[in-house]
């Protein structure tokens, strides 16, 4: 009468996890399995690798002091080796906050305290007074609102500046280690370390402790002294420089006498070679010459590597000479003799049990300490964790990563519901454990391997579409409104509109279709190319497509297009008023004596209609220029031939349907109908626009010149910026697009431009380029 569910690894899980890791996505495994099983699953799924064995930190179920000591030792060791530079003594001892940051921080605390005082006064006095005035006798002894205010006030005490918070975490870790040294086990460990001679050469391995106990972070004076002497003997570092710095730091940090030095817990950051020497980031910066970075790169480039001068052309002369001579990018900066793929500099992983998490979660300082250690690891596995602990770990990531990252939680059972709901994006796997995870998630998939296409393919495509769509929505409305705002100055701010109110009401309808089809069908890079090069996901992960710099660029284009539309059109059309004409022979050849003035331009309705037509054309052109894939379809779309093998829906040219037919053509048809409605419906608003379209399109050549040339002039600015950026400051996505198009050409594919893939849709809804 027993029932069981087979719990086995699904097909494609290791490859999917490996691909997500190569895309720069950090993966935390939160499972209810025991530690040994979780580790074996980690190795089977490539969450853990053989290179991580030396850097594996395991925290098993133990007492509170032991668990906290292990994490504190791991934390201090990582800080010592410059893996946590923000928690080093030099970083936490000085306030790095800018004056404006400190001002707004203090102002925010003052404003919140003032708000609490106002609410407390209301609930404690004014509200009670009203209760007595209205003769109500059910006044509660304790007002819940006052309790909530007191709770907010206690929570406010924990809001500290970043440097102060990190300093407290560092001090807490050192205190935990000091307390451990006073225990019998700690004293025994210290006595065993004191047997090392100061003349011995000590490696990093001699300093380390087993992973279950954590790294040795005490009694390092003799070890560091041996390293200093070895450095001086090898003439790799001036001895007086290091000794002077360490002594000054020790004297400043503890103020102790020399006789008491052996009794101290020596500060790891003072005696660490990698703490005294520049960190890895500083060493990397020295490889590049800042003088080779141009002002245009700093101001114009959107790619982070280009903007910060991290390309090959920015390398310093010494590094380039080293590359030419030895074929290497520079000297090995590994100071302590570790291999590049082992030890503290190699890949790291953290395996922690839920029972150990109970001693860390719930305390803000210990939570930050735990996350600091976990964040430096390439993989994290939390085993034997409860559903509540899974949700708390997701909260940990969202709280301590700045800026807050986008978190995704995926699970297949009811115990994953809390984690799925806490993450930004929840994915449920429909399996044999029920549908609770699916019902609580944002997306539902049948297999874990489908997460690959959900994130790297469709997620990336959708993010690029939505980023452009959001920017375009603001851009198109700003261009039209700014033209009307500038015109208010021409009319002495009387409120006269440049465009007819019924014409304006069609704007969002006719400009809706091009960007809608863009949001449906635009694709950047093919599926197979993205899977083969998962690093193309990095711009999406870093949110580079909608950063302030990109928004500013769209704002500049918006101002340029507004200026072009208004000042290239209005002076040419309105100059001379009603006496202006563009006829070849006085008036147009189809002049009607019964309608004097026909062919003249300059009236408000005609000028507004022509400028609005230019706005619509620029909107259509802008969508086409922002498209990464133009769907040209196949002609004819409707065919009786069965050899085509695809339906008419897959043969339509959606790009041109959205821009040419549903946008501009529908706009022209509506304008003609609107201009003729005044004859059928005698209304003063309709009569004002009567015959305007006929007058603009059929009797004046100047209008046609403006409609053709002004949108073209506006897009010249946009196109020039795009060409300049693609040629001189390309993004990583642009470079991959050119590589992809080049490979298509070699295979006989068709492409007209390196940035625009001309594609056809097929039966499986993929684009054949």
């Amino acid at each position: 009468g027993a029932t069981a569910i087979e719990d086995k690894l699904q097909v494609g899980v290791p490859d999917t996890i490996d691909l997500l890791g190569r895309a720069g996505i950090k993966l935390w495994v939160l499972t209810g399995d025991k530690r040994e099983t979780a580790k074996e699953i980690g190795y089977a799924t490539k969450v853990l690798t053989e290179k991580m064995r030396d850097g594996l930190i395991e925290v098993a179920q133990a007492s509170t002091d032991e668990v906290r000591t292990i994490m504190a030792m791991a934390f201090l060791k990582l800080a010592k080796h410059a893996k946590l530079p923000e928690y080093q003594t030099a970083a936490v001892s000085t306030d790095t906050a800018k004056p404006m940051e400190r001002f707004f921080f203090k102002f925010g605390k003052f404003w919140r305290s003032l708000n609490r005082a106002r609410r407390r006064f209301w609930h404690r006095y004014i509200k009670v007074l009203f209760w007595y005035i209205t003769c109500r006798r059910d006044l509660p002894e304790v007002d819940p609102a006052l309790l909530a205010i007191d709770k907010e006030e206690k929570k406010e005490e924990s809001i500290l500046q970043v440097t102060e918070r990190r300093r407290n975490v560092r001090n807490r870790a050192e205190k935990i280690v000091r307390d451990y040294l006073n225990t019998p086990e700690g004293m025994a460990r210290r006595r065993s370390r004191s047997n090392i001679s100061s003349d011995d050469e000590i490696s990093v391995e001699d300093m380390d402790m087993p992973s279950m106990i954590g790294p040795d972070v005490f009694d390092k004076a003799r070890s560091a002294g041996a390293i200093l002497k070895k450095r001086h003997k090898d003439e790799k570092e001036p001895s007086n420089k290091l000794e002077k710095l360490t002594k000054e730091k020790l004297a400043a940090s503890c103020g102790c006498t020399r006789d008491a030095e052996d009794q101290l817990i020596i500060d790891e950051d003072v005696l660490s070679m990698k703490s005294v020497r520049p960190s890895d980031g500083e060493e990397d910066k020295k490889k590049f010459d800042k003088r080779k970075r141009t002002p245009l790169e700093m101001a114009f480039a959107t790619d982070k590597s280009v903007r910060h001068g991290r390309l090959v052309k920015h390398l310093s002369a010494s590094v380039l000479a080293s590359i030419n001579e030895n074929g290497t990018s520079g000297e090995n900066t590994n100071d302590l003799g570790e291999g590049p793929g082992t030890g503290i500099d190699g890949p790291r992983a953290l395996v922690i049990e839920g029972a150990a998490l109970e001693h860390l979660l719930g305390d803000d300082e210990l939570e930050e300490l735990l996350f600091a250690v976990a964040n430096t690891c390439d993989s994290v596995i939390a085993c034997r964790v409860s559903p509540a602990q899974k949700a708390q770990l997701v909260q940990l990531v969202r709280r301590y990563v700045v800026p807050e990252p986008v978190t995704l939680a995926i699970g297949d059972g009811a115990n994953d519901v809390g984690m799925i709901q806490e993450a930004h994006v929840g994915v449920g796997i429909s399996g044999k454990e029920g549908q609770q995870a699916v019902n609580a998630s944002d997306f539902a998939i049948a297999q874990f391997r489908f997460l690959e296409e959900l994130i790297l393919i469709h997620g990336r495509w959708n993010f690029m579409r939505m980023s452009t769509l959001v920017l375009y929505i603001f851009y198109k409305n700003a261009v039209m409104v700014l033209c009307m705002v500038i015109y208010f100055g021409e009319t002495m701010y009387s409120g006269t509109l440049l465009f007819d109110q019924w014409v304006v009401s069609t704007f969002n309808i006719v400009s809706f279709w091009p960007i809608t089809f863009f949001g449906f069908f635009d694709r950047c890079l093919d599926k197979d190319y993205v899977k083969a090069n998962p690093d193309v996901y990095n711009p999406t992960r870093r949110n580079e497509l909608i950063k302030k710099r990109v928004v500013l660029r769209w704002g500049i284009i918006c101002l340029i297009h507004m200026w072009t539309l208004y000042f290239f059109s209005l002076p040419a059309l309105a100059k001379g008023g009603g006496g202006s004409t563009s006829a070849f022979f006085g008036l147009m050849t189809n002049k009607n004596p019964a309608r004097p003035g026909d062919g003249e331009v300059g009236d408000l309705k005609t000028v507004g209609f022509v400028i609005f037509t230019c706005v619509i054309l620029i909107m259509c052109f802008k969508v086409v220029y922002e498209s990464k894939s133009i769907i040209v379809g196949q002609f004819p779309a409707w065919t009786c031939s069965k050899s085509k093998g695809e339906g008419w829906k897959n043969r339509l040219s959606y790009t041109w349907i959205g821009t040419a037919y549903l946008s501009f053509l529908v706009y022209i048809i509506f304008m003609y109908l609107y201009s003729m409605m005044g004859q059928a419906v005698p209304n003063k608003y309709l009569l004002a626009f009567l015959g305007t379209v006929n007058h603009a399109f059929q009797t004046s050549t100047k209008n046609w010149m403006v409609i053709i040339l002004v949108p073209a002039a506006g897009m010249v600015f946009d196109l020039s910026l795009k060409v300049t950026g693609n040629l001189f400051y390309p993004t990583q996505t642009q470079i991959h697009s050119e590589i992809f198009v080049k490979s298509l050409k070699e295979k006989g594919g068709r492409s007209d431009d390196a940035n625009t893939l001309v594609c056809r849709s097929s039966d499986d809804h993929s684009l054949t380029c």
Side-chain angles (χ1 to χ4, degrees):
T3 325
I5 297 176
E6 183 182 9
D7 192 6
K8 64 178 181 180
L9 202 61
Q10 294 179 351
V11 177
V13 173
D15 296 336
T16 300
I17 291 177
D18 179 62
L19 200 63
L20 294 176
R22 288 163 54 197
I25 299 174
K26 281 198 171 184
L27 188 69
W28 289 22
V29 179
L30 314 179
T31 177
D33 296 328
K34 60 182 182 179
R35 182 159 48 92
E36 292 77 9
T37 306
K39 286 177 60 178
E40 293 302 324
I41 293 175
Y43 284 114
T45 58
K46 298 183 181 180
V47 175
L48 300 178
T49 61
E50 292 296 328
K51 293 182 179 180
M52 294 180 183
R53 289 190 181 273
D54 294 334
L56 182 63
I57 304 173
E58 291 189 62
V59 186
Q61 179 179 0
S63 63
T64 302
D65 294 337
E66 185 176 354
V67 170
R68 293 182 177 180
T69 301
I70 293 172
M71 294 306 302
M73 287 179 174
F75 172 83
L76 291 175
K77 179 182 180 182
L78 291 170
K80 165 189 176 295
H81 286 273
K83 302 304 178 183
L84 291 171
E86 63 273 15
Y87 290 97
Q88 289 181 320
T89 303
V92 300
S93 59
T94 57
D95 189 3
T96 58
K98 297 179 181 179
M100 290 300 296
E101 292 179 356
R102 290 195 294 268
F103 168 77
F104 283 113
F105 179 80
K106 294 180 179 179
F107 179 78
K109 292 182 76 72
F110 168 75
W111 182 261
R112 289 189 294 270
S113 64
L114 190 65
N115 185 38
R116 286 194 301 272
R118 176 188 61 80
R119 290 158 54 201
R120 184 179 284 113
F121 180 79
W122 166 264
H123 290 287
R124 182 170 292 174
Y125 300 107
I126 306 299
K127 185 178 178 180
V128 174
L129 180 62
F130 277 125
W131 279 59
Y132 281 113
I133 292 176
T134 56
C135 300
R136 300 180 61 179
R137 300 183 181 274
D138 54 344
L139 181 67
E141 295 182 1
V142 180
D143 192 347
L146 291 175
L147 294 177
I149 294 173
D150 294 338
K151 187 176 181 180
E152 290 179 13
E153 193 168 15
K154 290 182 180 179
K155 188 177 180 180
E156 182 73 24
E157 297 175 358
S158 63
I159 300 178
L160 304 173
Q161 282 191 320
V162 176
T163 304
E164 185 178 358
R165 193 186 73 234
R166 289 172 178 170
R167 186 187 306 123
N168 294 341
V169 173
R170 172 73 190 228
N171 294 337
R172 180 72 176 275
E174 292 178 349
K175 182 179 181 301
I176 291 174
V177 176
R178 287 192 179 94
D179 294 341
Y180 170 76
L181 292 178
N182 294 327
T183 62
E185 182 182 358
M187 296 177 67
R189 173 65 63 176
R190 180 160 53 178
R191 283 194 298 269
S192 65
R193 300 298 297 165
S194 63
N195 296 328
I196 301 177
S197 172
S198 61
D199 296 330
D200 295 337
E201 293 185 3
I202 301 175
S203 64
V204 178
E205 287 73 14
D206 296 326
M207 301 183 198
D208 293 341
M209 298 174 65
S211 59
M212 282 298 296
I213 300 177
D216 188 6
V217 294
F218 52 86
D219 197 16
K220 293 290 180 59
R222 305 180 192 278
S223 302
I227 293 177
L228 289 173
K229 290 182 180 180
K230 184 175 184 296
R231 286 242 159 245
H232 180 57
K233 188 183 299 183
D234 296 340
E235 296 183 353
K236 289 186 177 180
E237 193 71 45
S239 175
N240 57 353
K241 177 182 176 182
L242 291 176
E243 291 177 359
K244 180 180 178 181
L245 181 57
T246 54
K247 291 178 181 178
E248 289 177 355
K249 295 283 287 185
L250 285 172
S253 60
C254 63
C256 300
T257 61
R258 183 169 181 175
D259 296 336
E261 279 189 13
D262 291 338
Q263 305 299 325
L264 297 174
I265 302 174
I266 302 302
D267 193 318
E268 299 273 330
D269 296 346
V270 178
L271 298 178
S272 169
M273 298 299 100
K274 289 194 175 183
S275 297
V276 174
R277 292 172 62 86
S279 63
D280 296 339
E282 295 295 329
E283 289 287 347
D284 290 339
K285 290 180 181 179
K286 289 185 178 181
K287 295 179 182 179
F288 300 95
D289 190 350
K290 292 183 178 180
R291 294 172 295 180
K292 294 184 178 182
R293 186 174 55 160
T294 64
L296 285 178
E297 287 177 338
M298 293 184 284
F300 190 83
T302 58
D303 190 85
K304 187 176 181 180
S305 300
V306 180
R307 191 167 64 250
H308 292 177
R310 295 292 187 271
L311 301 182
V312 175
K313 66 178 182 180
H314 300 128
L315 289 172
S316 60
S318 60
V319 175
L320 288 174
S322 176
I323 294 175
N324 294 331
E325 293 177 3
N326 305 324
T328 177
S329 59
E331 297 181 357
N332 186 8
T333 58
N334 197 337
D335 296 318
L336 299 178
E338 297 171 319
T342 61
I344 195 67
D345 285 338
R348 294 178 296 278
L350 171 65
V351 179
I352 186 169
E353 290 189 356
L357 286 173
E358 291 181 359
H359 306 307
L360 301 172
L361 298 178
D363 188 309
D364 291 341
E365 293 178 353
L366 294 177
E367 282 183 352
E368 185 170 356
L369 186 148
L370 169 64
F371 176 76
V373 175
N375 195 41
T376 61
C377 297
D378 299 275
S379 300
V380 176
I381 296 180
C383 48
R384 287 295 187 191
V385 290
S386 64
Q389 288 177 331
K390 292 182 179 181
Q392 285 179 306
L393 289 174
V394 176
Q395 290 176 359
L396 213 65
V397 176
R398 298 185 59 174
R399 180 178 179 182
Y400 291 109
V401 178
V402 179
E404 183 179 347
V406 177
T407 56
L408 183 144
I410 179 170
D412 62 348
N415 57 345
D416 301 318
V417 170
M419 172 183 66
I420 289 174
Q421 292 180 337
E422 186 63 35
H424 292 94
V425 181
V427 179
I429 300 178
S430 58
K432 297 181 179 180
E433 294 191 25
Q435 297 295 315
Q436 288 86 350
V438 171
N439 295 335
S441 63
D442 302 302
F443 300 93
I445 56 179
Q447 296 282 328
F448 183 87
R449 57 190 173 92
F450 297 152
L451 191 66
E452 173 186 319
E453 292 202 359
L454 179 64
I455 296 178
L456 299 184
I457 308 300
H458 299 289
R460 179 178 173 275
W461 283 345
N462 188 67
F463 179 77
M464 302 187 91
R465 295 167 185 163
M466 291 301 105
S467 300
T468 305
L469 185 144
V470 170
L471 293 171
Y472 174 83
I473 293 297
F474 285 100
Y475 153 81
K476 73 180 183 66
N477 288 284
V479 169
M480 186 195 68
V481 172
L482 286 175
C483 290
M484 300 173 67
V485 170
I486 294 180
Y487 182 72
F488 287 157
E490 299 284 348
T491 61
M492 303 301 292
Y493 300 97
S494 62
T496 304
L497 296 177
L498 175 62
F499 308 128
D500 184 85
Q501 58 183 354
W502 281 85
V503 174
V504 172
S505 66
T506 66
F507 180 68
N508 284 325
I509 299 175
V510 297
S511 61
F512 160 81
W513 294 106
I515 195 63
T516 300
F517 281 99
F518 173 91
F520 284 158
F521 301 110
D522 191 62
R523 297 181 181 183
C524 178
L525 299 177
D526 190 69
K527 288 183 181 180
D528 295 334
Y529 187 88
V530 175
K531 291 180 181 180
N533 302 273
D535 54 304
V536 300
Y537 186 77
N538 285 331
T540 306
R541 184 174 54 85
R542 293 194 294 259
N543 200 26
E544 291 185 0
L545 302 176
I546 198 167
K547 282 186 175 292
K548 295 178 181 178
R549 188 177 297 267
V550 179
V551 175
L552 178 62
R553 177 177 292 188
W554 276 78
I556 294 173
I557 290 295
C558 173
L559 294 176
I560 291 175
H561 286 175
M562 175 273 301
W563 184 84
T564 305
L565 285 167
Y566 187 84
F567 292 102
F568 281 25
S569 300
L570 191 69
L573 296 173
K575 185 177 180 181
S580 175
T581 179
S582 62
F584 295 108
F585 305 103
L587 297 180
M588 296 295 286
T589 55
N590 62 344
K591 62 182 179 179
N592 188 349
R595 297 181 180 178
D598 198 10
E600 297 174 353
V601 294
D603 63 286
L604 179 60
K605 295 296 181 181
T606 302
V607 172
F609 169 71
V610 173
I611 297 178
F612 194 83
T613 304
C614 296
V615 172
I616 297 298
L617 285 173
I618 279 192
M619 297 300 110
C620 295
F621 289 150
K622 182 65 176 175
V623 172
V624 174
Y625 284 162
E626 293 296 329
S627 298
K628 301 297 187 298
S629 56
I630 299 176
I631 304 176
V632 299
Q634 293 181 354
F635 184 83
W638 287 268
T639 176
C640 298
S641 176
K642 296 183 179 180
S643 60
K644 296 296 182 182
E646 56 186 9
W648 61 271
K649 292 182 292 185
N650 296 324
R651 297 167 56 85
L652 294 175
S653 56
Y654 287 103
T655 300
W656 306 125
I657 289 176
T659 55
Y661 304 140
L662 294 179
S663 181
F664 188 72
L665 183 60
V666 168
Y667 163 73
I668 295 299
I669 294 174
F670 178 81
M671 289 297 104
Y672 269 107
L673 294 175
Y674 174 43
S675 65
M676 294 186 295
M677 286 179 64
Q679 295 178 348
V681 182
N683 184 287
K684 63 178 182 178
Y685 299 107
L686 299 178
L687 289 173
F689 201 75
L690 180 63
T692 300
V693 178
N694 294 333
H695 179 73
F697 282 167
Q698 300 176 14
T699 62
S700 176
T701 57
K702 184 185 291 187
N703 292 338
W704 283 102
M705 295 175 65
V706 170
I707 291 173
I708 294 174
L709 297 179
V710 170
M715 297 315 298
V716 163
F717 292 104
D718 194 4
L719 192 59
S720 300
L721 291 176
K722 287 184 179 297
V723 171
T724 303
N726 292 342
L727 288 178
F728 301 103
Y729 316 106
T731 64
Q732 295 297 319
T733 304
Q734 171 65 23
I735 294 173
H736 280 286
S737 297
E738 295 180 4
I739 296 173
F740 174 53
V741 172
K742 184 177 180 181
S743 65
L744 286 178
K745 291 181 178 179
E746 293 175 353
K747 296 177 182 179
R750 186 162 62 97
S751 177
D752 296 338
D753 186 80
N755 190 42
T756 303
L757 309 181
V758 182
C759 309
R760 295 178 178 177
S761 55
S762 59
D763 281 334
D764 59 350
H765 303 287
S766 63
L767 297 184
T768 305
C769 304

